[in-house]
PDB file of all heavy atoms in Angstrom:
ATOM      1  N   THR A 448     -12.716  -4.528  -3.018  1.00 93.00           N
ATOM      2  CA  THR A 448     -11.982  -3.857  -4.052  1.00 93.00           C
ATOM      3  C   THR A 448     -12.304  -4.521  -5.402  1.00 93.00           C
ATOM      4  O   THR A 448     -12.407  -5.823  -5.407  1.00 93.00           O
ATOM      5  CB  THR A 448     -10.414  -3.717  -3.817  1.00 93.00           C
ATOM      6  OG1 THR A 448      -9.794  -3.161  -4.925  1.00 93.00           O
ATOM      7  CG2 THR A 448      -9.798  -5.088  -3.747  1.00 93.00           C
ATOM      8  N   LYS A 449     -12.266  -3.749  -6.546  1.00 91.00           N
ATOM      9  CA  LYS A 449     -12.550  -4.338  -7.786  1.00 91.00           C
ATOM     10  C   LYS A 449     -11.290  -4.893  -8.350  1.00 91.00           C
ATOM     11  O   LYS A 449     -11.392  -5.601  -9.466  1.00 91.00           O
ATOM     12  CB  LYS A 449     -13.120  -3.272  -8.740  1.00 91.00           C
ATOM     13  CG  LYS A 449     -14.492  -2.699  -8.235  1.00 91.00           C
ATOM     14  CD  LYS A 449     -14.971  -1.579  -9.162  1.00 91.00           C
ATOM     15  CE  LYS A 449     -16.292  -1.036  -8.563  1.00 91.00           C
ATOM     16  NZ  LYS A 449     -16.735   0.114  -9.368  1.00 91.00           N
ATOM     17  N   LEU A 450     -10.158  -4.722  -7.780  1.00 91.00           N
ATOM     18  CA  LEU A 450      -8.956  -5.324  -8.405  1.00 91.00           C
ATOM     19  C   LEU A 450      -9.039  -6.788  -8.349  1.00 91.00           C
ATOM     20  O   LEU A 450      -9.378  -7.415  -7.352  1.00 91.00           O
ATOM     21  CB  LEU A 450      -7.716  -4.780  -7.562  1.00 91.00           C
ATOM     22  CG  LEU A 450      -7.359  -3.397  -7.692  1.00 91.00           C
ATOM     23  CD1 LEU A 450      -6.369  -3.025  -6.622  1.00 91.00           C
ATOM     24  CD2 LEU A 450      -6.853  -3.106  -9.049  1.00 91.00           C
ATOM     25  N   ASP A 451      -8.661  -7.479  -9.433  1.00 90.00           N
ATOM     26  CA  ASP A 451      -8.674  -8.877  -9.554  1.00 90.00           C
ATOM     27  C   ASP A 451      -7.665  -9.691  -8.699  1.00 90.00           C
ATOM     28  O   ASP A 451      -7.749 -10.905  -8.540  1.00 90.00           O
ATOM     29  CB  ASP A 451      -8.654  -9.385 -10.987  1.00 90.00           C
ATOM     30  CG  ASP A 451      -9.937  -8.862 -11.720  1.00 90.00           C
ATOM     31  OD1 ASP A 451     -10.848  -8.484 -11.098  1.00 90.00           O
ATOM     32  OD2 ASP A 451      -9.954  -9.190 -13.043  1.00 90.00           O
ATOM     33  N   GLY A 452      -6.677  -8.982  -8.281  1.00 92.00           N
ATOM     34  CA  GLY A 452      -5.629  -9.507  -7.476  1.00 92.00           C
ATOM     35  C   GLY A 452      -4.624  -8.396  -6.890  1.00 92.00           C
ATOM     36  O   GLY A 452      -4.624  -7.259  -7.456  1.00 92.00           O
ATOM     37  N   TYR A 453      -3.940  -8.790  -5.870  1.00 95.00           N
ATOM     38  CA  TYR A 453      -2.964  -7.862  -5.312  1.00 95.00           C
ATOM     39  C   TYR A 453      -1.949  -8.537  -4.548  1.00 95.00           C
ATOM     40  O   TYR A 453      -2.106  -9.828  -4.268  1.00 95.00           O
ATOM     41  CB  TYR A 453      -3.743  -6.853  -4.312  1.00 95.00           C
ATOM     42  CG  TYR A 453      -4.764  -7.432  -3.395  1.00 95.00           C
ATOM     43  CD1 TYR A 453      -4.336  -7.890  -2.181  1.00 95.00           C
ATOM     44  CD2 TYR A 453      -6.131  -7.657  -3.719  1.00 95.00           C
ATOM     45  CE1 TYR A 453      -5.270  -8.406  -1.238  1.00 95.00           C
ATOM     46  CE2 TYR A 453      -6.954  -8.260  -2.872  1.00 95.00           C
ATOM     47  CZ  TYR A 453      -6.465  -8.644  -1.588  1.00 95.00           C
ATOM     48  OH  TYR A 453      -7.376  -9.179  -0.744  1.00 95.00           O
ATOM     49  N   THR A 454      -0.942  -7.858  -4.100  1.00 96.00           N
ATOM     50  CA  THR A 454       0.150  -8.472  -3.227  1.00 96.00           C
ATOM     51  C   THR A 454      -0.213  -8.445  -1.780  1.00 96.00           C
ATOM     52  O   THR A 454      -1.030  -7.708  -1.235  1.00 96.00           O
ATOM     53  CB  THR A 454       1.490  -7.707  -3.490  1.00 96.00           C
ATOM     54  OG1 THR A 454       1.364  -6.476  -2.978  1.00 96.00           O
ATOM     55  CG2 THR A 454       1.788  -7.669  -4.979  1.00 96.00           C
ATOM     56  N   THR A 455       0.555  -9.225  -1.069  1.00 97.00           N
ATOM     57  CA  THR A 455       0.656  -9.079   0.359  1.00 97.00           C
ATOM     58  C   THR A 455       1.289  -7.708   0.589  1.00 97.00           C
ATOM     59  O   THR A 455       1.856  -7.058  -0.233  1.00 97.00           O
ATOM     60  CB  THR A 455       1.568 -10.211   0.955  1.00 97.00           C
ATOM     61  OG1 THR A 455       2.851 -10.180   0.395  1.00 97.00           O
ATOM     62  CG2 THR A 455       0.958 -11.570   0.733  1.00 97.00           C
ATOM     63  N   VAL A 456       1.263  -7.243   1.841  1.00 97.00           N
ATOM     64  CA  VAL A 456       1.921  -5.988   2.290  1.00 97.00           C
ATOM     65  C   VAL A 456       3.479  -6.220   2.082  1.00 97.00           C
ATOM     66  O   VAL A 456       4.050  -7.196   2.680  1.00 97.00           O
ATOM     67  CB  VAL A 456       1.762  -5.633   3.699  1.00 97.00           C
ATOM     68  CG1 VAL A 456       2.468  -4.281   4.058  1.00 97.00           C
ATOM     69  CG2 VAL A 456       0.193  -5.420   3.819  1.00 97.00           C
ATOM     70  N   LEU A 457       4.123  -5.457   1.230  1.00 96.00           N
ATOM     71  CA  LEU A 457       5.541  -5.491   0.859  1.00 96.00           C
ATOM     72  C   LEU A 457       6.302  -4.387   1.632  1.00 96.00           C
ATOM     73  O   LEU A 457       5.726  -3.249   1.719  1.00 96.00           O
ATOM     74  CB  LEU A 457       5.806  -5.590  -0.649  1.00 96.00           C
ATOM     75  CG  LEU A 457       5.081  -6.720  -1.321  1.00 96.00           C
ATOM     76  CD1 LEU A 457       5.207  -6.555  -2.885  1.00 96.00           C
ATOM     77  CD2 LEU A 457       5.806  -7.993  -0.909  1.00 96.00           C
ATOM     78  N   GLY A 458       7.422  -4.593   1.873  1.00 94.00           N
ATOM     79  CA  GLY A 458       8.331  -3.565   2.481  1.00 94.00           C
ATOM     80  C   GLY A 458       9.339  -3.045   1.486  1.00 94.00           C
ATOM     81  O   GLY A 458      10.070  -3.832   0.692  1.00 94.00           O
ATOM     82  N   PHE A 459       9.552  -1.776   1.423  1.00 94.00           N
ATOM     83  CA  PHE A 459      10.683  -1.101   0.648  1.00 94.00           C
ATOM     84  C   PHE A 459      11.695  -0.771   1.543  1.00 94.00           C
ATOM     85  O   PHE A 459      11.626  -0.218   2.674  1.00 94.00           O
ATOM     86  CB  PHE A 459      10.004   0.210   0.106  1.00 94.00           C
ATOM     87  CG  PHE A 459      11.120   0.956  -0.748  1.00 94.00           C
ATOM     88  CD1 PHE A 459      11.319   0.742  -2.034  1.00 94.00           C
ATOM     89  CD2 PHE A 459      11.834   1.923  -0.047  1.00 94.00           C
ATOM     90  CE1 PHE A 459      12.270   1.610  -2.789  1.00 94.00           C
ATOM     91  CE2 PHE A 459      12.807   2.734  -0.743  1.00 94.00           C
ATOM     92  CZ  PHE A 459      12.985   2.513  -2.110  1.00 94.00           C
ATOM     93  N   GLU A 460      12.939  -1.009   1.095  1.00 94.00           N
ATOM     94  CA  GLU A 460      14.200  -0.650   1.794  1.00 94.00           C
ATOM     95  C   GLU A 460      15.239  -0.297   0.887  1.00 94.00           C
ATOM     96  O   GLU A 460      15.583  -1.120   0.014  1.00 94.00           O
ATOM     97  CB  GLU A 460      14.542  -1.876   2.804  1.00 94.00           C
ATOM     98  CG  GLU A 460      15.825  -1.505   3.620  1.00 94.00           C
ATOM     99  CD  GLU A 460      16.113  -2.679   4.538  1.00 94.00           C
ATOM    100  OE1 GLU A 460      15.160  -3.352   4.990  1.00 94.00           O
ATOM    101  OE2 GLU A 460      17.308  -2.866   4.981  1.00 94.00           O
TER     102      GLU A 460
END
Side-chain angles (χ1 to χ4, degrees):
T448 181
K449 295 176 184 176
L450 293 168
D451 289 356
Y453 49 89
T454 66
T455 57
V456 176
L457 298 172
F459 173 93
E460 181 176 332

